Structures are given as structure tokens and as C-alpha cells.
Amino acid sequence: MLPTDVIKNIRRVEIKTRRMAADFFTGHYRSVFKGRGMEFDEVRQYSPGDDIRSIDWNVTARMGEPFIKKFVEERELTIIFLLDLSRSCVFATTTRLKRDLAAELSSVLALSAVRNNDKVGFIAFTDKVEKYIPPAKGLKHVLRVVRESLYLKPQGKGTDIAAAIEYLNKVSSRRAVVFIISDFHAAKYAKALSIANKRHDVIAVTLTDPVELALPNVGIITLEDAETGELFVVDTSSAAVRNQYREQATRIFEQRKRLFTASGIDHIEITTDVPYIKTLIRFFRMRERRLNR
């Protein structure tokens, strides 16, 4: 049995994100994530205005009058979340841990998928794959994904995105919409990302705390690398130190954006001090505009 406080928190996340999914995301979700293609539905008599390219010549020859093949969109999708549970995601200088934010993001997108009768899968990773939940349908299944997002205790500390993607390619032979939710504090994942995007529709969701972009002026502080444990003493009262930190952070973030662009991957940039609902809405609308061109 789960502790009462755990059940309450899962329920709280479910209620909050279910409302978002119902109020906005379901319609947009359906319009920006297409099915795998078209599947045969039926043969019917030709009507004026029908595309002559759809005529079924075999049936037409047998019946002595024109018939066409009717197709419908093969709507069912598979949505897979690759969720980063490394130590660097258990971090916050605002009211939100990156990990908690990641769980909510997964929840609202997963609930949108369930409302469209799509399957949801889950891969949690650090410097190794921590948990795999095969894609399935239903609210009960999605709540299991939410629970693992919030409370799974990982064994690893670091981040190996390439290994998580390679695992995805092993367990998922069919095309899927793949959300990689991470702070992307990792190296050597560009090739794996590019290969995965040829098979799947990959979307990178980056999680960033404001301090990762700019240091506040709070005097001398000690910083710890969450994944290696290495300590750094930094004098944040120095304008030169703050400027150097900001320039280096900007350079890293711009390099990452260029990597996503070069790989043909859509990118959602989430910061812990800004409500993610607005950022997701902008992303969905961007995808809609691009698909409707």
C-alpha cells in the first residue's frame, strides 16, 4: 500500500493536470500529433466530386459501375516519455524541483493522450535505464506513470541520454511521439538523438532553473555538482565572475539549441520560475501553424 501522503500528492497532480488536458490540450494535442498514416475503411459507390485516383478498378470492373476506396486516418499513437531522474534534476532555487515539474509535464501530456485513446509508455533514466513501463492505454496506467515520475528512487546519479535513447530504439520498433524531458546536462548524445528522430517524432523538453542561467549577487557561496559531488567556491559579489558565468551558460544553451535544430528536433524550453502552461501553448500553436502550411 502507498502512504496516504503519496496517494494525496498523486491525486493532486492528476486533478490539476486533468483539468489542463480537458480545457486546452486535448484539441491541440490531436491536431499536432498525427496518426501513423491512412488505413482502409470501406469500398463505396463513386459520387460526383470524389477523387478519381481513389477508384477501385477491380471492384468497378466486377460491378459495372465505379466504386472508390475510402480511407481514414490511423489515429492511434504511442507516446513515450524519457524522463531524466539524475541528481541534477533534484534541484531548485524556486518553489519547484525540476523533477516535480517534469512529473507534471508528463502527466498533462499523458492525460491528453489517454483522452485520445493513445498508448503511453515510460522510460526513466539516469546514467542507466532505471525503469521501463511498456506503452498501454487507460487512466490507471497513466497514474502509474505519474507515480513513478514522482516517487521512483533511482540508483544512478549522472545523466546518459544516449543510453536511454538506445534503449528506446530496442524496445520500440513502431514509430512513436517521444518526449525527452531532461536538463540535458550530458555529453555525446547528438548522434543517438539524430538517429532516433529518423524513426520517431522526438521532442526535447529542457528543464532549467534560473540559477543555471545567471548567478545572483549573494557573496561567497559553495556550489556542488549534484552528479559528481565536486565542490566549487564562488564569489558571486564579483561582477566579472557573474558575467563569465552568464556568458558560459548562454554559450552552452545556444550550442544545445543548434544541436536540436541540426537534428530536426522540436524543442520546448521550460524554466522553473515561469508557468509551463504558457510555454506548452506556444509550442502547440507553433506545431499547428507549421502543419497547416
Side-chain angles (χ1 to χ4, degrees), residues 45 69 108 111 210 254 270 277:
Q45 286 182 300
K69 292 179 181 179
V108 71
L111 285 165
E254 289 302 318
I270 303 290
I277 180 73

Side-chain angles (χ1 to χ4, degrees), residues 173-193:
S173 58
R174 303 183 72 177
R175 181 174 176 82
V177 178
V178 178
F179 289 90
I180 305 177
I181 305 177
S182 172
D183 56 16
F184 286 85
H185 293 332
K188 298 180 179 179
Y189 58 84
K191 182 178 179 180
L193 203 58

Side-chain angles (χ1 to χ4, degrees), residues 73-90:
E73 182 185 0
E74 191 178 3
R75 177 54 236 178
E76 183 180 287
L77 294 175
T78 297
I79 312 296
I80 300 179
F81 298 100
L82 267 64
L83 191 65
D84 182 356
L85 298 185
S86 62
R87 285 284 298 274
S88 62
C89 286
V90 189

Side-chain angles (χ1 to χ4, degrees), residues 10-11 13-15 17-19 21 107-108 110-120 136-147:
I10 294 171
R11 180 63 175 160
V13 171
E14 179 206 351
I15 292 171
T17 55
R18 188 200 288 261
R19 189 177 300 117
S107 180
V108 71
L111 285 165
S112 294
V114 165
R115 292 177 68 89
N116 280 278
N117 201 37
D118 292 336
K119 294 180 180 179
V120 174
K137 299 180 182 180
L139 180 59
K140 184 177 180 181
H141 176 78
V142 166
L143 291 180
R144 181 187 175 196
V145 170
V146 174
R147 183 186 70 211

Side-chain angles (χ1 to χ4, degrees), residues 45-71:
Q45 286 182 300
Y46 176 86
S47 297
D50 286 338
D51 190 341
I52 61 173
R53 292 173 296 181
S54 299
I55 292 177
D56 187 323
W57 294 107
N58 291 329
V59 176
T60 297
R62 289 199 307 269
M63 302 301 294
E65 58 181 316
F67 278 75
I68 67 167
K69 292 179 181 179
K70 182 182 177 183
F71 293 85

Side-chain angles (χ1 to χ4, degrees), residues 35 45 66 84 87 100 115 132 151 157 163 201 213 233 242:
Q45 286 182 300
D84 182 356
R87 285 284 298 274
D100 291 344
R115 292 177 68 89
Y132 170 56
Y151 294 107
K157 296 181 180 179
D201 179 4
L213 296 171
V233 177
R242 295 197 305 275

